[in-house]
């Protein structure tokens, strides 16, 4: 007799949204909007995005049922209008400004210590990958959280495409740099472009995900279109947006926020309720779209999947 043990983030099957309900959600919402009814979650209206993404026909994609949640999804209207994207400003309502970002043509360069260096167009990259949807928690270091239905593919698949050579230890991620479009990049006191990094072991962990869509559609610009990182066991600033280059290297990258304030932002940035930030206590979090505060979970609730990455690491500030 086989005994099945649910993972730490999984719901019982009876609690999951039925597939036919999920797949028909757009028709339901369209009907509600047409009748003037707005949902309490904020899903009854849609933000005004820029022109249609050419990859729209790829979505929605099949959900990977291994990645579920212990809470409700954050409403699309809420999540899409409360965003950090410092390239377009330091406030949360940057979504209108972000619509200036041109997402085609868009290329991603894979370089460094790899067998297959290349610069590939985003649509060609999407054609090479098997897309899926995953439900992930997202925890900001500012002590708010949301729950997001990302679409995309495992970062490990991109690592395999690149073919890292012996000696690679890190992936260095870089976002676009265009101050003529992104007014925040005119602020010279920030070290543009935005840089982030992961170890090779983190990048090939099952949870590390490249997001190209959300809420059953291509990524809107304020979410980091057309391609971003999602590392749900880390604070949100690690999940770099609008990626243009990934470099495979044996040198640890210095990330954007680490360069600005290393006393507050380290390389690892794993979620830990017992390690407060200088400005934001981390023991609890405000859940966007609700009046609820939840206790913060170690590794944002993904301890079972990632704790082994950091076993026996001494002298490292792993949690900020």
């Amino acid at each position: 007799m086989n005994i099945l043990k649910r993972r730490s983030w999984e719901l019982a099957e009876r609690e999951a949204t039925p597939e036919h309900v999920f797949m028909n959600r757009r028709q339901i919402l369209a009907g509600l909007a047409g009748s003037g009814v707005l949902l309490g979650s904020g899903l009854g209206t849609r933000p005004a995005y820029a022109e249609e993404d050419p990859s729209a026909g790829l979505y929605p994609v099949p959900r990977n049922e291994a990645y579920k949640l212990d809470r409700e999804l954050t409403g699309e209207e809420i999540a899409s209008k409360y965003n950090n994207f410092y390239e377009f400003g330091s406030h949360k309502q940057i979504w209108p400004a972000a619509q200036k970002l041109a997402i085609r043509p868009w290329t991603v360069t894979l370089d460094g210590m790899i067998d297959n260096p290349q610069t590939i167009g985003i649509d060609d990259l999407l054609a090479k990958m098997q897309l899926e949807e995953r439900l992930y928690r997202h925890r900001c270091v500012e002590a708010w959280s949301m729950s997001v239905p990302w679409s995309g593919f495992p970062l490990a698949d991109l690592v395999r495409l690149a073919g890292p050579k012996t000696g690679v230890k890190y992936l260095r991620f870089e976002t676009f740099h265009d101050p003529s479009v992104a007014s925040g990049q005119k602020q010279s006191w920030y070290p543009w472009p935005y840089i982030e990094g992961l170890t090779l072991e983190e990048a090939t962990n099952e949870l590390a995900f490249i997001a190209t869509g959300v809420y059953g559609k291509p990524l809107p610009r304020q979410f980091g279109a057309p391609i971003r990182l999602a590392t749900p066991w880390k604070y949100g600033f690690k999940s770099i947006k609008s990626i243009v280059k990934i470099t495979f290297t044996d040198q640890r990258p210095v990330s954007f926020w680490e360069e600005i304030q290393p006393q507050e932002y380290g390389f690892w940035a794993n979620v830990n309720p017992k390690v407060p930030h200088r400005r934001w206590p981390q023991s609890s979090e405000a859940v966007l779209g609700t009046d609820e505060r939840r206790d913060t979970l170690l590794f944002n609730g993904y301890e079972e999947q990632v704790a082994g990455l950091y076993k026996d690491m001494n002298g490292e500030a792993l949690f900020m």
Side-chain angles (χ1 to χ4, degrees):
M1 175 178 171
N2 293 325
I3 299 175
L4 300 179
K5 181 181 178 182
R6 282 188 291 156
R7 302 187 188 199
S8 58
W9 69 82
E10 290 181 355
L11 291 168
E13 184 174 353
R14 66 181 181 275
E15 297 174 279
T17 302
E19 180 179 5
H20 73 279
V21 174
F22 175 78
M23 298 301 288
N24 288 326
R25 66 199 183 284
R26 292 190 192 176
Q27 291 91 328
I28 294 171
L29 295 177
L32 288 171
S35 65
V37 178
L38 297 180
L39 302 180
S41 64
L43 284 171
T45 58
R46 291 181 59 191
Y49 298 141
E51 69 273 10
E52 184 87 355
D53 188 304
S55 69
L58 299 176
Y59 303 91
V61 297
R63 179 179 295 175
N64 186 332
E65 297 294 342
Y67 302 93
K68 298 180 182 178
L69 294 170
D70 61 347
R71 60 198 69 182
E72 295 292 327
L73 286 174
T74 302
E76 179 184 357
E77 177 78 358
I78 296 166
S80 63
K81 290 189 175 180
Y82 192 89
N83 311 97
N84 281 326
F85 204 165
Y86 275 69
E87 284 81 352
F88 295 97
S90 58
H91 53 87
K92 295 294 187 291
Q93 287 71 44
I94 54 81
W95 69 272
Q99 306 313 308
K100 299 175 184 177
L101 180 64
I103 57 173
R104 296 297 188 283
W106 191 279
T107 60
V108 178
T109 296
L110 306 178
D111 66 7
M113 300 168 60
I114 56 176
D115 292 328
N116 303 307
Q118 57 192 284
T119 296
I120 185 170
I122 183 61
D123 295 301
D124 293 330
L125 178 60
L126 291 174
K128 289 178 179 290
M129 299 296 168
Q130 184 68 45
L131 302 181
E132 64 182 42
E133 182 180 71
R134 296 184 179 187
L135 308 186
Y136 274 174
R137 301 185 186 101
H138 180 91
R139 175 62 158 78
C140 182
V141 73
E142 297 167 351
W144 55 265
S145 66
M146 59 181 178
S147 301
V148 186
W150 298 118
S151 300
F153 54 89
L155 176 54
D157 291 351
L158 193 60
V159 172
R160 280 190 287 273
L161 178 67
K165 294 179 181 292
T166 300
V168 169
K169 296 181 179 179
Y170 302 97
L171 277 66
R172 177 188 183 274
F173 299 84
E174 182 177 323
T175 194
F176 76 96
H177 188 210
D178 187 354
S180 68
V181 169
S183 60
Q185 291 182 332
K186 295 178 181 178
Q187 297 170 338
S188 60
W189 54 88
Y190 285 127
W192 305 111
Y194 199 103
I195 302 297
E196 258 305 338
L198 296 176
T199 66
L200 182 62
E201 290 75 18
E202 290 176 321
T204 53
N205 180 271
E206 63 166 305
L207 290 178
F209 198 61
I210 292 291
T212 60
V214 68
Y215 293 101
K217 300 185 285 289
L219 280 177
R221 287 153 175 81
Q222 66 268 30
F223 278 94
I227 180 171
R228 65 168 288 164
L229 182 64
T231 51
W233 72 98
K234 294 178 176 289
Y235 291 111
F237 65 85
K238 291 290 292 186
S239 293
I240 185 172
K241 297 179 174 181
S242 302
I243 298 166
V244 297
K245 183 189 289 189
I246 305 174
T247 300
F248 292 72
T249 176
D250 57 1
Q251 302 297 311
R252 189 158 95 178
V254 177
S255 61
F256 180 86
W257 288 109
E258 184 182 9
E259 183 172 344
I260 294 170
Q261 186 53 272
Q263 291 78 24
E264 294 187 1
Y265 303 95
F267 174 80
W268 302 99
N270 297 317
V271 177
N272 188 335
K274 295 182 180 180
V275 180
H277 187 276
R278 291 188 176 189
R279 283 170 283 154
W280 303 290
Q282 298 299 322
S283 59
S284 66
E285 60 202 53
V287 181
L288 287 189
T290 76
D291 295 325
E292 181 182 6
R293 288 202 73 90
R294 282 181 174 256
D295 290 340
T296 300
L297 302 174
L298 182 64
F299 294 109
N300 204 23
Y302 297 97
E303 182 178 7
E304 177 185 342
Q305 291 71 42
V306 300
L309 295 172
Y310 312 103
K311 186 179 180 181
D312 301 325
M313 291 183 66
N314 299 316
E316 290 277 1
L318 294 174
F319 299 103
M320 197 59 66

